[in-house]
């Protein structure tokens, strides 16, 4: 096994590790261990003692609020998308019915990718036009609404600016705030009224283009995923330009939740003297863009660590101007949450030219590895790889091999000679395209694909570089697992995730004379590939739901996710479909997920992958659901926004379900 590029000689040097532990201890106040509490005296102790004796209180009271709510994006700070609620379970999920539906009335031009949060019986969500609503979580009744387009400034109506996956909530017990982004502006709202908080930044609005340690002018700096709250800090990532031309850097920043003041910054494109600087050309930090944490964050509060997954460097299909490994693009990062200092990193793609961003926040997991309990970080990817890393060091728990890959033939491009492949778990998506991958839907479809694609372009492997001749790329840039990410059940060590298995074509063309950028080659786009009847060229299933046992690094089960309605009932097995959005898993033994192109919302048995319930939505549920309890009743909710990259009819609804 070749040594992974992550593990350079200094990274595991004992003196370096001791110095980092010392610096970490000095910069971060000590945290109480699990089960430990600060001393409580006098009246406070008496009150707590009386509370603990009341029926249903004490330890149950502590657990109740956290477990009955859905307080943060993806359910908890570890991004587990897990709920301990079990009122809805395998035995009764078949009786699930619509409890209420909220329709925003927005233009149906954009999708809804929002994972709503629920706190103190109030739900906070965003709409296709990025208005923010607070609803009664039991009835869907509107409590307040906020329209960011009414706050002046230039409106950004691009597709990127209309993608939002949720909001962040902060409270110190006296006041409570909602943070969300619209275009290049981060807003702070009073969670009780929906009004801008005038004491935050500029009358409640912070321009994300400022405070990047580089003048980015009018370049887009947005945020499609919510930030995470650590104490009095909002840790925020961004979405920046990926195409040819200038792009802003994807630096990670922490802002004071009260004032909006920048408290720290981590340069994902390193500045002189910083680790990783040598993996770029000398002046890249002044001009290079991307390497951005657009997918959100996970937080280990006890250790004071925040974890991020970063995207590719810009331009994402040609890197002739950025020779090198390009740290910290395509990395899992562990940073000190209070200071932004780097603790460790792991790069999943070197010198990315495929747009293989790490598209979802890392899952913080606890597993049994070689019989021993281990806290770890699980990162799923567009490539179909799952990397399981020790939470404190970043060392892979299962071996990772650096394997040679084909090199680019484009003049000026210097692709990286190897890429990391985990030995376990096995790939959960199809990788590469050859004879064994050609569709078997019908003999006619197979013959068409062989003649028009396989014979013309030849077979391909994972990480084959884009070329002027064209290469079949599988998984495609939206394949494998995208921003929906995974759900983790700590009781079993099983990780659940959905994946897409449809190839695409990448072709590079010479840039036209007089182009406004300096790139000599441009991608013609991500070209989806279909047979003569409009179905994917690969062998079904084209979408799957997967259960991966992280304890032993195996796939427990894998089942088709979704259907193509026109193929149902034609003596062909379920095909699965392209899908967007993620799953949640519950103590009731269920995995809930929309995501599929057929616009159905489903509940699967988490042990077997069997479909136990499904509901036809008016528009696709291309978002991650949430579940919560109000007044003793459990609800499950999903946004039915349709549209987006799946390309089906759009909608404007959130649909909540409960038992009768």
């Amino acid at each position: 096994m070749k040594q992974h590029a992550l593990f350079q000689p200094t990274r595991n040097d004992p003196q370096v590790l001791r110095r980092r532990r010392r610096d970490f201890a000095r910069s971060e106040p000590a945290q109480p261990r699990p089960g430990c509490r600060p001393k409580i005296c006098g009246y406070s102790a008496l009150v707590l003692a009386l509370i603990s004796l009341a029926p249903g209180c004490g330890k149950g009271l502590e657990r109740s609020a956290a477990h009955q709510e859905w307080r943060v994006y993806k359910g908890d700070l570890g991004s587990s998308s897990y709920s301990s609620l079990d009122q809805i379970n395998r035995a009764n999920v078949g009786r699930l019915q619509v409890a209420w539906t909220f329709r925003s009335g927005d233009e149906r031009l954009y999708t809804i990718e929002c994972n709503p949060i629920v706190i103190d019986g109030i739900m906070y969500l965003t709409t296709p036009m990025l208005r923010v609503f607070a609803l009664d979580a039991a009835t869907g009744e509107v409590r307040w609404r906020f329209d960011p387009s009414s706050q002046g400034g230039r409106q950004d109506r691009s597709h990127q600016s209309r993608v939002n996956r949720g909001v962040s909530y902060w409270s110190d017990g006296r006041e409570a705030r909602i943070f969300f982004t619209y275009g290049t502006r981060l807003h702070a709202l009073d969670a009780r009224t929906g009004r801008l908080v005038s004491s935050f930044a500029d009358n409640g609005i912070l321009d994300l283009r400022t405070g990047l340690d580089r003048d980015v002018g009018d370049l887009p700096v947005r945020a499609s995923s919510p930030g995470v709250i650590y104490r009095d800090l909002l840790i925020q990532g961004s979405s920046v330009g990926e195409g040819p031309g200038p792009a802003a850097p994807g630096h990670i920043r922490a802002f004071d939740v009260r004032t909006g003041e920048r408290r720290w910054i981590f340069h994902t494109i390193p500045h002189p003297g910083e680790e990783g600087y040598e993996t770029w050309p000398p002046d890249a930090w002044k001009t290079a863009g991307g390497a951005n944490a657009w997918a959100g964050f996970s937080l280990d509060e006890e250790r004071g660590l925040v974890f991020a997954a970063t995207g590719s460097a810009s331009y994402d299909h040609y890197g002739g101007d950025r020779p090198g490994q390009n740290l910290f693009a395509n990395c899992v990062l562990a940073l000190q949450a209070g200071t932004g200092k780097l603790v460790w990193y792991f790069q999943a793609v070197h010198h990315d030219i495929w747009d293989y961003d790490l598209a979802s926040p890392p899952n913080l997991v606890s597993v049994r590895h070689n019989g021993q309990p281990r806290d770890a970080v699980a990162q799923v990817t567009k490539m179909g790889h799952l990397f399981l890393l020790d939470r404190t060091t970043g060392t892979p728990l299962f071996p990772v091999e650096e394997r040679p890959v084909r090199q680019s033939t484009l003049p000026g491009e210097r692709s990286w000679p190897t890429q990391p492949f985990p030995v376990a778990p096995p790939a959960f998506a199809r990788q590469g395209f050859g004879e064994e991958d050609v569709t078997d839907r019908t003999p006619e479809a197979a013959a068409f694909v062989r003649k028009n694609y396989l014979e013309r372009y030849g077979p391909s492997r994972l990480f084959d570089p884009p070329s002027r001749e064209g290469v079949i790329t599988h998984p495609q840039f939206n394949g494998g697992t995208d921003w929906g990410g995974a759900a983790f059940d700590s009781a079993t060590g099983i990780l659940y995730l959905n994946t897409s298995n449809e190839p695409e074509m990448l072709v590079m063309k010479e840039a036209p004379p007089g182009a406004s950028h300096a790139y000599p080659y441009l991608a013609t786009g991500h070209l989806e590939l279909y047979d003569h009847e409009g179905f994917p060229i690969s062998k079904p299933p084209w979408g799957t739901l997967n259960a991966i046992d992280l304890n032993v690094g195996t796939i427990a089960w894998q089942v088709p996710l979704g259907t193509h309605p026109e193929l149902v009932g034609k003596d062909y097995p379920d095909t699965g479909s392209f899908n967007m959005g993620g799953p949640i898993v519950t103590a009731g033994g269920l995995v809930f997920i929309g995501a599929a192109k057929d616009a159905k919302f489903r509940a699967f048995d988490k042990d077997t992958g069997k479909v136990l319930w499904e509901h036809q939505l008016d528009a696709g549920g291309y978002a991650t659901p949430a579940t919560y309890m109000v007044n003793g009743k459990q609800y499950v909710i999903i946004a039915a926004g349709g549209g987006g990259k799946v390309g089906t009819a759009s909608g404007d609804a959130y649909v909540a379900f409960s038992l009768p």
Side-chain angles (χ1 to χ4, degrees), residues 300-359:
D300 184 330
E301 279 193 300
E302 181 185 348
R303 290 182 171 92
L305 296 177
V306 63
F307 299 86
T310 60
S312 58
S314 302
Y315 170 38
D316 53 13
H317 289 309
Y318 182 82
D321 63 327
R322 50 176 174 87
Q325 191 176 346
N326 299 152
L327 296 174
F328 293 98
N330 305 88
C331 283
V332 181
L333 298 173
L335 307 177
Q336 292 181 16
T339 66
K341 291 182 178 179
L342 178 66
V343 178
W344 58 258
Y345 71 88
F346 176 92
Q347 189 172 49
V349 184
H350 312 314
H351 190 85
D352 186 5
I353 49 178
W354 302 271
D355 196 11
Y356 278 157
D357 299 22
L358 298 189

Side-chain angles (χ1 to χ4, degrees), residues 628-646:
Y628 58 95
M629 181 171 281
V630 178
N631 299 328
K633 181 180 285 289
Q634 183 182 355
Y635 298 83
V636 181
I637 188 165
I638 190 167
K645 292 181 178 179
V646 186

Side-chain angles (χ1 to χ4, degrees), residues 67-76 81-83 85 88 96 100 113-119 123-125 137 165 582-586 592-594 601 621 623-629 634-639 654-658:
H67 286 239
Q68 293 188 9
E69 299 180 326
W70 195 266
R71 298 183 66 88
V72 298
Y73 179 57
K74 292 180 68 66
D76 58 36
S81 292
Y82 172 83
S83 173
L85 296 177
I88 302 169
L96 211 58
W100 55 263
E113 296 182 355
C114 178
N115 176 227
I117 62 173
V118 179
I119 299 162
M123 178 178 295
Y124 303 93
L125 54 81
R165 300 187 183 98
I584 64 171
V585 60
T586 75
F592 286 98
I593 188 169
F601 187 37
T624 300
T627 187
Y628 58 95
M629 181 171 281
Q634 183 182 355
Y635 298 83
V636 181
I637 188 165
I638 190 167
Y654 283 82
V655 186
F657 301 86
S658 66

